[in-house]
Amino acid sequence: MSRRLTLTALASLVLGTVPIAQAQTAPIVEYPVISSLGPGPITASGEVWFAFPNDDMVGQISTTGEDTLYDLPAPYEEPRGIAAGPEDTVWFTATGGFDGAEGILRITQDGTITDFPTAPDTRPLGLTFGPDANLWFTRASFPYQIGKMTTSGVVTFLPTLLDEAPRNITTGPDGNLWITEDGLSNGGVGAIGRMTTSGDLTEYPLPTAPGNGSRAEDIAVGPDGNLWFTWSQGSASPVGPPLARSIGRITPTGTITEFPLGSDSSFASAGITSGPDGNLWFTEPGSNSIGRISLSGVIEHFDVPTPASLPLDITVGGDGNLWFTESDASQIGRLFLTAPPTPTNPPTAQPTATPPPICQGQSVTHVGSSGNDSLIGTPGADVLAGLGGNDTIDGAGGADLVCAGEGRDVVSGGAGGDRLNGENGRDILKGGSGNDRLNGGPKPDLCNGGSGRDRATACEVRKGIP
């Protein structure tokens, strides 16, 4: 097995000419699902399936909006990657959280779960079925590797090491495995990796400005036979320059084309999928919209009805429509392709400071404004929502729930087991004592767990948290 690093991608970067349309409306229906922190990854196999990384559950939803949720068998925690398998099965990775078990699990349409454990500190993340009918997954812990598992549960790691942390993986039309790599979290340069099933690796670094880090997030095969991916570059520090977001395209021979998402740095992109209409569709958590890009690079945006819903991942359902997860709203959205979207001219502006009626499924006890606020809870259990502005929020003891909202916020949980959501801002989250859960959000955040057994997601910088 061999590894090859290529720099040809730097020389072969094509900057796409990107006509960006105004925000549009589309026929979108939203279905609520019960969860404290909301769904993340999504796929379709028979029905549409999705995972709750922070609630240790997977779910299924019908075309009529009826959902069924299944708890992961103990001690597995934090389901992340998800993939459709043969005979309408669904497979997903469990990264283990702080002290849970790690592995790959299979669920049938009737909810029967079979688990296949992996070794501790494997941290399986992205998942796909390869051309050899085996499951292939990314190892998020160091050393960065690609793993293979048979459907009977035999796990093998290819010895070839990747330069940066691998995130998602898919099978390309050339019969190779294509991998996104994240260099942003440690200030490095991300890449797209291409690996054969025998372990020969070629890495194509993302063209990245000097002094910046970069990351490739999700990846999908386009109808043109190329690989399309979501891409960001900038600084991982909350006080650094804003992230520039793009959609990338790479040919099987390694030519990278960048399609910028405009000058608004809130146009974060996360999940991407190939639609039945011949376009690529992607989620934009920062601007609360679903994006569409044609093969020629024309980009359009479609507003999600619920404000600040944080759309994360997207797939095509068996009904031929697009389904996506709304993590902060704890909803599943469906965008109908059967009725063509209608442009809005001028676009309807999204409200900037709409007070949410709930935070993480609970009624808010302390609420801020659209400006800069200082919120202090009680020694008991509080629910605090910052809304807009650069807020300072202190739970002051007890098992608190916090939704920081827009802006650059500083959140302290205090004593007790707290759940702190940074949401859409460059935030600093401090768990304090207790077993805390910290969720940074789409922009670069700093998460400091403090004492206790803490768990963190979407945090660019972590302190005291695995």
Side-chain angles (χ1 to χ4, degrees):
M1 300 181 183
S2 64
R3 177 183 178 282
R4 180 161 57 96
L5 175 67
T6 177
L7 299 178
T8 57
L10 293 172
S12 59
L13 169 68
V14 178
L15 186 63
T17 301
V18 187
I20 299 180
Q22 298 286 354
Q24 303 185 52
T25 59
I28 293 176
V29 175
E30 298 168 298
Y31 307 99
V33 290
I34 299 175
S35 167
S36 62
L37 290 177
I42 191 169
T43 193
S45 178
E47 304 283 4
V48 171
W49 289 80
F50 48 92
F52 297 91
N54 294 294
D55 285 323
D56 305 329
M57 296 188 299
V58 293
Q60 174 194 66
I61 190 167
S62 69
T63 55
T64 59
E66 298 175 357
D67 65 271
T68 306
L69 307 183
Y70 303 93
D71 291 318
L72 267 63
Y76 291 97
E77 291 183 356
E78 208 168 289
R80 288 289 178 182
I82 191 167
E87 299 178 352
D88 286 342
T89 57
V90 175
W91 298 70
F92 54 93
T93 59
T95 62
F98 180 78
D99 57 359
E102 306 169 27
I104 296 175
L105 296 89
R106 179 187 67 212
I107 188 168
T108 62
Q109 295 293 317
D110 64 1
T112 302
I113 296 179
T114 305
D115 64 292
F116 303 95
T118 57
D121 202 31
T122 297
R123 300 284 182 181
L125 186 61
L127 185 68
T128 191
F129 270 87
D132 56 356
N134 292 311
L135 293 113
W136 292 80
F137 61 95
T138 59
R139 176 177 182 163
S141 63
F142 190 83
Y144 303 135
Q145 294 174 285
I146 301 300
K148 176 180 72 173
M149 191 185 84
T150 67
T151 54
S152 60
V154 178
V155 175
T156 306
F157 281 100
L158 277 67
T160 309
L161 301 183
L162 288 80
D163 273 350
E164 301 293 344
R167 296 186 66 86
N168 289 299
I169 185 170
T170 194
T171 299
D174 56 353
N176 293 314
L177 302 162
W178 290 80
I179 307 133
T180 58
E181 297 184 38
D182 174 16
L184 185 63
S185 57
N186 61 10
V189 174
I192 301 294
R194 182 186 66 200
M195 179 178 282
T196 67
T197 54
S198 59
D200 292 331
L201 174 67
T202 305
E203 291 175 297
Y204 301 95
L206 300 178
T208 304
N212 281 349
S214 57
R215 170 178 61 207
E217 180 72 31
D218 199 13
I219 190 166
V221 178
D224 55 354
N226 296 312
L227 285 300
W228 293 71
F229 58 96
T230 51
W231 169 8
S232 56
Q233 69 165 300
S235 172
S237 169
V239 297
L243 294 177
R245 315 285 182 161
S246 303
I247 299 298
R249 180 183 66 201
I250 184 169
T251 67
T253 56
T255 300
I256 295 176
T257 304
E258 179 182 8
F259 300 94
L261 290 175
S263 58
D264 184 352
S265 61
S266 72
F267 272 28
S269 53
I272 189 168
T273 193
S274 182
D277 58 348
N279 297 304
L280 281 298
W281 292 80
F282 53 95
T283 58
E284 299 178 283
S287 59
N288 197 54
S289 58
I290 303 299
R292 177 177 68 191
I293 182 169
S294 69
L295 298 183
S296 61
V298 177
I299 295 174
E300 297 170 284
H301 309 281
F302 301 89
D303 296 332
V304 176
T306 299
S309 69
L310 201 71
L312 286 186
D313 200 11
I314 189 167
T315 193
V316 178
D319 59 351
N321 293 308
L322 295 160
W323 294 74
F324 57 94
T325 53
E326 300 177 31
S327 184
D328 275 5
S330 197
Q331 296 182 145
I332 302 297
R334 175 164 58 163
L335 190 154
F336 287 87
L337 296 179
T338 52
T342 302
T344 301
N345 190 18
T348 302
Q350 291 287 343
T352 56
T354 301
I358 59 173
C359 169
Q360 301 186 40
Q362 301 294 323
S363 298
V364 173
T365 60
H366 300 69
V367 63
S369 66
S370 59
N372 300 335
D373 303 302
S374 178
L375 301 179
I376 301 177
T378 69
D382 305 301
V383 184
L384 304 95
L387 300 183
N390 302 328
D391 305 315
T392 301
I393 302 174
D394 187 351
D400 304 310
L401 304 179
V402 176
C403 297
E406 302 282 342
R408 300 187 177 188
D409 308 305
V410 178
V411 180
S412 301
D418 309 305
R419 293 192 176 192
L420 312 181
N421 280 5
E423 298 189 327
N424 191 24
R426 299 181 174 203
D427 308 307
I428 298 176
L429 307 181
K430 303 175 182 178
S433 61
N435 302 332
D436 308 306
R437 291 190 179 186
L438 285 63
N439 183 22
K443 293 188 178 180
D445 304 295
L446 185 152
C447 297
N448 189 341
S451 59
R453 296 185 300 176
D454 307 308
R455 294 167 62 182
T457 56
C459 297
E460 300 293 342
V461 180
R462 302 184 184 198
K463 295 182 179 180
I465 307 173

